[in-house]
Amino acid sequence: MTAQPPAASRPRGRERARLNRETVLAEALALADADGLDGLGMRPLSQRLGVVPMALYKHVANKEDLLDGMIDLVWAEVEMPDAERGWRTSMGDRSRSLRQALKRHPWAIGLMEARLRPGFANLAQHNAMMGCLRGSGFSFRTTVHVTSTLDAFVYGFALQERSLPFDTAEQSGDVAEQKLQDAPPEAAAAFPHLLEVVRELGAAGYDYDTEFETGLALVLDAVERLRPEWRAELPSP
Amino acid sequence: MTAQPPAASRPRGRERARLNRETVLAEALALADADGLDGLGMRPLSQRLGVVPMALYKHVANKEDLLDGMIDLVWAEVEMPDAERGWRTSMGDRSRSLRQALKRHPWAIGLMEARLRPGFANLAQHNAMMGCLRGSGFSFRTTVHVTSTLDAFVYGFALQERSLPFDTAEQSGDVAEQKLQDAPPEAAAAFPHLLEVVRELGAAGYDYDTEFETGLALVLDAVERLRPEWRAELPSP
DNA sequence: GTCAAAGGTGTACGGCGTACACCTGAGACA
DNA sequence: TGTCTCAGGTGTACGCCGTACACCTTTGAC
């Protein structure tokens, strides 16, 4: 066998382990997390890996393929639903898990559902979702309704969460105050209700976590309540 | 007054009306609708307007500013809620209207909420939203819950709708069949529940409109049911 | 020891957003 | 009517981007 050089096991200097798809994808994920989708370029990525840009193309077909792989890594982070634990807790936990993943990787939000070639983790995740609901007695049609509505809520929430420029309830107050000062005075007069909300949010703070739980409970409650009706395969109203 | 040349009133050849911000934004919207966000470049846009690329920068500060303006045009297409018509129909119609706008301009979905400088139509829209709910007796806190959840649903639904590669129920069948044939045979065995859904959707067809209405009714029902509770400003569960 | 295949390199091309200096023509005012 | 000003349009150029293509190097099987 070839002797391993005793020096660095980590890639550095003249010695560097051969690249493979996994390390390229992992590094790309880290880069996107750090610098956003705009910062994710073949050149910066290759530099992080200590390699020339074109070397990446030995491991990914093109940038689209790179994104496909990255998205499937994100899917792999999402907890799989499991009918054994009951559809409600299972779906709730999966939704929370999906939101957390989208929070860790905000650049992924628009892309999770948009892949032309869904990866393995993506397929596995959706398969488990269908299995959980079908296994819990939901009709085929109902299963589609529920996944559609629940996912819509989580995606949409993550989208809003990404947009607002604060992370904690305390920060939200500062941001609101700043916005109020930035806004031209005529805007305040023109949009009184908006002004009220910004004021109140600034005072009371805005907590994404409880906001998410509230909405999630709302949707799950509604599903629970409508379940027997949907079991009977009623046509939608 | 200066005599207008009798020839073309439309810009062409050597004669061309002076550009202004509105026409630039409108043409950019049309270009994005036609070719997507990727097709929206300063060079292609300028060519459509019969002008050199740099000319655009006399009317928009940069591409970000261009996008800001385009997004506000989309907001302007969204029907404003109005407390007079009752919160439920008003919110329902606004949600439908928002979905339609996002369907006309799929490129806008990730951007509507992400603007650092919200435009006038955007502010007006949200102001009307708050006004409608507050005016219908919802507490401040509840108003935030409802807008957050409802918007999340609409954005998320639009996102899913954009992703799936068919528009009509009939097409959905063909697409499903195609997907089944493309998929490697081991995938079918590994994901039985997913397979079932694709099969059933292929057979029964999938209609976005009724799917949207179902989810929307679900959320609105839940809001209606919880309204008295939320009026009392209960803390979230 | 030989050799094919896989992995990494270097160069180059067309497209992007846009900074900067320049030219032009329309409208204001004498 | 002649002049001036300055908003609007132009041309050139720079540094990014993704990636095609030809080339070299290393690896592992035989």
Side-chain angles (χ1 to χ4, degrees):
Chain A
M1 65 185 71
T2 58
Q4 279 285 54
S9 60
R10 305 232 93 212
R12 71 169 169 73
R14 62 183 65 253
E15 318 246 7
R16 212 205 49 249
R18 292 189 114 185
L19 242 46
N20 55 40
R21 193 167 214 266
E22 285 68 43
T23 47
V24 170
L25 293 181
E27 197 68 34
L29 203 80
L31 177 55
D33 286 348
D35 296 357
L37 263 196
D38 286 349
L40 176 68
M42 296 311 242
R43 267 164 264 242
L45 176 56
S46 67
Q47 200 169 3
R48 263 171 168 254
L49 291 161
V51 120
V52 101
M54 284 311 291
L56 301 176
Y57 288 87
K58 290 280 150 80
H59 306 281
V60 296
N62 47 43
K63 197 174 182 183
E64 193 67 13
D65 182 36
L66 179 70
L67 281 172
D68 282 343
M70 293 166 67
I71 291 294
D72 215 49
L73 283 183
V74 179
W75 273 119
E77 293 181 15
V78 180
E79 187 179 309
M80 295 252 237
D82 170 15
E84 309 261 328
R85 299 173 49 235
W87 72 269
R88 202 187 206 279
T89 61
S90 197
M91 284 295 128
D93 284 351
R94 189 207 93 116
S95 298
R96 277 179 271 267
S97 173
L98 177 55
R99 172 183 167 232
Q100 290 302 333
L102 294 176
K103 211 168 160 182
R104 279 192 293 274
H105 313 292
W107 50 267
I109 294 176
L111 308 174
M112 300 288 282
E113 296 287 91
R115 299 295 82 194
L116 267 60
R117 297 185 193 290
F120 183 88
N122 184 348
L123 293 172
Q125 173 67 227
H126 283 95
N127 181 65
M129 192 115 176
M130 301 298 158
C132 173
L133 289 169
R134 295 290 282 125
S136 302
F138 285 88
S139 74
F140 157 72
R141 205 84 222 177
T142 314
T143 297
V144 175
H145 288 321
V146 173
T147 53
S148 165
T149 304
L150 206 51
D151 273 3
F153 169 71
V154 178
Y155 286 129
F157 190 92
L159 202 59
Q160 294 176 312
E161 187 169 15
R162 177 178 68 172
S163 303
L164 287 177
F166 49 83
D167 284 323
T168 70
E170 295 76 43
Q171 280 183 349
S172 75
D174 306 343
V175 170
E177 202 167 332
Q178 192 57 45
K179 279 267 170 195
L180 281 181
Q181 290 175 0
D182 286 356
E186 73 271 18
F191 307 120
H193 301 108
L194 207 50
L195 187 72
E196 180 206 34
V197 172
V198 175
R199 279 233 179 82
E200 292 267 356
L201 280 185
Y206 182 84
D207 181 6
Y208 276 118
D209 289 345
T210 65
E211 195 68 31
F212 181 76
E213 290 299 329
T214 307
L216 181 60
L218 184 87
V219 176
L220 289 176
D221 283 349
V223 169
E224 185 139 34
R225 205 170 289 110
L226 288 185
R227 193 158 69 113
E229 192 175 334
W230 274 354
R231 265 190 209 257
E233 289 293 281
L234 271 195
S236 22
Chain B
M1 64 184 71
T2 57
Q4 281 284 55
S9 60
R10 303 235 96 211
R12 71 168 168 75
R14 61 184 63 253
E15 318 247 6
R16 211 205 50 247
R18 293 188 114 185
L19 243 44
N20 54 39
R21 193 167 216 267
E22 285 68 43
T23 48
V24 170
L25 292 181
E27 198 68 34
L29 203 80
L31 177 55
D33 286 348
D35 295 356
L37 264 197
D38 286 349
L40 176 68
M42 297 309 242
R43 267 164 265 240
L45 177 55
S46 66
Q47 200 169 2
R48 264 171 168 255
L49 291 161
V51 118
V52 102
M54 284 311 291
L56 301 176
Y57 288 86
K58 290 284 149 83
H59 306 282
V60 296
N62 47 44
K63 199 174 180 181
E64 193 66 14
D65 183 35
L66 178 71
L67 281 172
D68 282 342
M70 293 167 66
I71 291 295
D72 216 47
L73 283 182
V74 178
W75 273 119
E77 293 181 15
V78 180
E79 188 179 309
M80 295 252 237
D82 171 15
E84 309 261 329
R85 301 174 48 234
W87 72 268
R88 202 188 205 279
T89 62
S90 197
M91 284 295 128
D93 285 352
R94 188 207 94 116
S95 298
R96 277 179 272 268
S97 173
L98 177 55
R99 170 181 168 235
Q100 291 300 335
L102 294 177
K103 210 169 160 179
R104 279 192 294 274
H105 313 293
W107 50 267
I109 295 177
L111 309 174
M112 301 288 283
E113 296 286 270
R115 298 296 84 192
L116 268 60
R117 300 184 191 289
F120 183 89
N122 183 348
L123 293 172
Q125 173 67 227
H126 283 94
N127 181 65
M129 191 115 176
M130 302 298 160
C132 173
L133 289 170
R134 296 289 284 124
S136 301
F138 285 87
S139 73
F140 157 72
R141 204 82 221 180
T142 314
T143 297
V144 174
H145 288 320
V146 173
T147 53
S148 166
T149 304
L150 206 52
D151 273 4
F153 170 70
V154 178
Y155 287 129
F157 190 93
L159 202 57
Q160 294 177 312
E161 187 168 17
R162 175 178 69 171
S163 303
L164 287 177
F166 50 83
D167 284 324
T168 70
E170 295 76 43
Q171 280 183 347
S172 75
D174 306 343
V175 170
E177 202 167 333
Q178 191 58 46
K179 279 268 171 194
L180 281 182
Q181 290 174 0
D182 286 356
E186 73 272 17
F191 307 119
H193 301 108
L194 206 52
L195 187 72
E196 182 206 33
V197 171
V198 175
R199 280 233 178 82
E200 292 267 355
L201 280 184
Y206 182 84
D207 181 5
Y208 276 118
D209 289 344
T210 64
E211 195 69 33
F212 180 77
E213 289 299 330
T214 306
L216 181 60
L218 184 86
V219 175
L220 288 176
D221 283 349
V223 169
E224 186 140 34
R225 206 170 289 111
L226 288 185
R227 194 158 68 113
E229 191 176 335
W230 274 354
R231 266 191 209 257
E233 288 292 283
L234 269 195
S236 23

